[in-house]
Amino acid sequence: MKKLSEQVMVITGATSGIGLTTARMAAEAGAKLVLAARSADALHQLADELAARGAEALAVPTDVGERAEVEKLGQAAIDRFGRVDSWVNNAGVSIFGRHEDVTDEDRQRLFQTNFWGVVHGSLEALRRMKRDGGALINLGSEVSDRAVPLQGIYSASKHAVKGFTDSLRMEIEKDQVPISVTLIKPAAIDTMLIAHAKNYLRHEPRLPPPLYAPEVVASAILHATQHPQRDVYVGGAAKMIAVGSFHMPRLFDHYMKATMFKQQESDRPAPPDRHDTLHAADSLELRQRLGATYSRVHERSPYTAVALRSGPLTTALLFGGAALAAWKLLARPPR
């Protein structure tokens, strides 16, 4: 797999949060970038910013939920740079609310972006990288393994992303196609997810602690573009939740019921004119982080750093300590 400085990288959801952070870090490392998001103005603003720093970046306004637009994205990468070396399916949005309150229209729109966007992007990436190889990086979540209440349809979409990614990986390996397929599973990340989410709750939503910085996820993504990885848990808390839910699902059901309703709803009333980006992008501001004030944001994850570079035994030993620390963080009462 090529060094970042030799890569052409496609990034969806590139104008906010994890996608924006990844784009800036990849540009700093010398990668050539093909940037996709729904907002043309924000995309061109980002491309101009990176060009001013000496990077090569192509802005391609794209709704990943539309297969034809994703095909145009892949063609634009070929037309400009002649190839694709890595493809990052990052675009996503959330909904906060009980299942019985969320409309069919909103559920379908979320799946169109979160799930079908990954499907469209993965198949286009396979088409463009099948001959010469590369890395396909899909963004799942800790809720790919453990559903949470009040973000039920988001959890369902991330479960679907995991199932699709795992099955696609096996098909690619069966055909001996030289493409590494990685599923990134972040814990709660301090991005614009909350600000962009559709909200059905009476109060403003928030993410349960512990929170990690988007730079931690971006570092894991960029590592996976250069070193084959199957799954990457970003944050020891994500790994702890996954392992605990697998071995003790009913216990974790009770834990979620006892904590996740309070931890995902703040005490600030939701304004009646609250904006979201579920159906359309409406923000021109490039922001990597929301700047959460209700919880400490962890700027690094020792568990993830070691897991990416170590064997299974070292990772298992580190996980023991990370799990204990994460459990203590999760057990703190919400403020």
Side-chain angles (χ1 to χ4, degrees):
M1 301 174 75
K2 297 176 181 177
K3 297 178 182 178
L4 272 178
S5 59
E6 301 171 353
Q7 287 199 25
V8 174
M9 183 183 303
V10 176
I11 303 174
T12 70
T15 56
S16 177
I18 293 169
L20 177 58
T21 308
T22 303
R24 285 171 170 163
M25 290 174 62
E28 185 70 22
K32 297 178 176 64
L33 299 175
V34 182
L35 307 171
R38 288 177 294 179
S39 173
D41 291 337
L43 270 179
H44 288 296
Q45 179 184 340
L46 175 59
D48 290 343
E49 171 198 315
L50 299 181
R53 300 180 184 180
E56 290 188 65
L58 173 65
V60 186
T62 306
D63 183 342
V64 297
E66 300 294 331
R67 178 68 181 269
E69 294 194 24
V70 177
E71 290 175 350
K72 290 179 181 178
L73 171 63
Q75 187 60 52
I78 299 300
D79 291 344
R80 174 67 177 270
F81 297 112
R83 68 182 196 279
V84 173
D85 299 305
S86 56
W87 188 298
V88 182
N89 287 311
N90 164 75
V93 68
S94 191
I95 297 174
F96 285 82
R98 293 174 178 265
H99 281 294
E100 60 185 341
D101 295 331
V102 179
T103 66
D104 288 345
E105 180 184 15
D106 285 351
R107 278 193 288 264
Q108 291 166 4
R109 178 63 251 192
L110 182 144
F111 253 79
Q112 199 68 27
T113 298
N114 291 14
F115 175 67
W116 287 109
V118 170
V119 172
H120 298 157
S122 297
L123 295 178
E124 185 64 17
L126 175 59
R127 175 187 174 195
R128 300 299 181 179
M129 298 191 297
K130 194 169 189 176
R131 187 187 67 180
D132 297 324
L136 170 62
I137 316 294
N138 289 341
L139 267 291
S141 168
E142 62 182 349
V143 301
S144 294
D145 297 318
R146 154 52 62 175
V148 295
L150 301 185
Q151 285 193 86
I153 197 65
Y154 178 79
S155 298
S157 72
K158 293 301 184 178
H159 271 62
V161 166
K162 178 183 184 298
F164 170 78
T165 302
D166 288 348
S167 60
L168 178 64
R169 182 188 298 109
M170 289 184 284
E171 292 176 5
I172 286 174
E173 291 176 351
K174 175 66 174 177
D175 294 339
Q176 298 185 335
V177 175
I179 296 177
S180 171
V181 180
T182 301
L183 182 64
I184 305 288
K185 300 178 183 179
I189 307 298
D190 181 33
T191 66
M192 297 299 291
L193 180 73
I194 293 293
H196 293 166
K198 180 71 174 284
N199 182 39
Y200 283 85
L201 305 176
R202 290 184 300 172
H203 297 84
E204 278 294 295
R206 63 183 182 183
L207 294 176
L211 268 64
Y212 296 85
E215 287 82 358
V216 184
V217 190
S219 294
I221 291 171
L222 297 182
H223 182 88
T225 64
Q226 302 168 87
H227 308 280
Q229 304 285 327
R230 185 185 190 278
D231 298 288
V232 179
Y233 289 93
V234 179
K239 180 66 172 179
M240 186 273 290
I241 290 290
V243 172
S245 297
F246 180 81
H247 292 287
M248 300 174 289
R250 194 58 180 148
L251 176 62
F252 270 69
D253 284 348
H254 291 303
Y255 171 75
M256 293 290 168
K257 287 187 293 183
T259 62
M260 287 297 126
F261 287 91
K262 293 180 180 179
Q263 290 187 357
Q264 291 186 96
E265 189 168 6
S266 71
D267 56 3
R268 295 182 293 114
D273 58 347
R274 186 183 192 277
H275 295 291
D276 61 77
T277 62
L278 178 61
H279 292 276
D282 63 354
S283 174
L284 302 182
E285 186 178 10
L286 298 173
R287 290 186 62 183
Q288 295 179 194
R289 302 167 70 161
L290 180 61
T293 58
Y294 59 89
S295 176
R296 174 191 171 193
V297 176
H298 298 267
E299 300 296 331
R300 57 185 57 85
S301 168
Y303 166 79
T304 302
V306 173
L308 287 172
R309 295 169 174 82
S310 303
L313 178 59
T314 302
T315 301
L317 291 173
L318 180 68
F319 168 65
L324 179 61
W327 182 265
K328 289 180 178 180
L329 286 166
L330 288 166
R332 291 178 182 175
R335 289 181 288 173

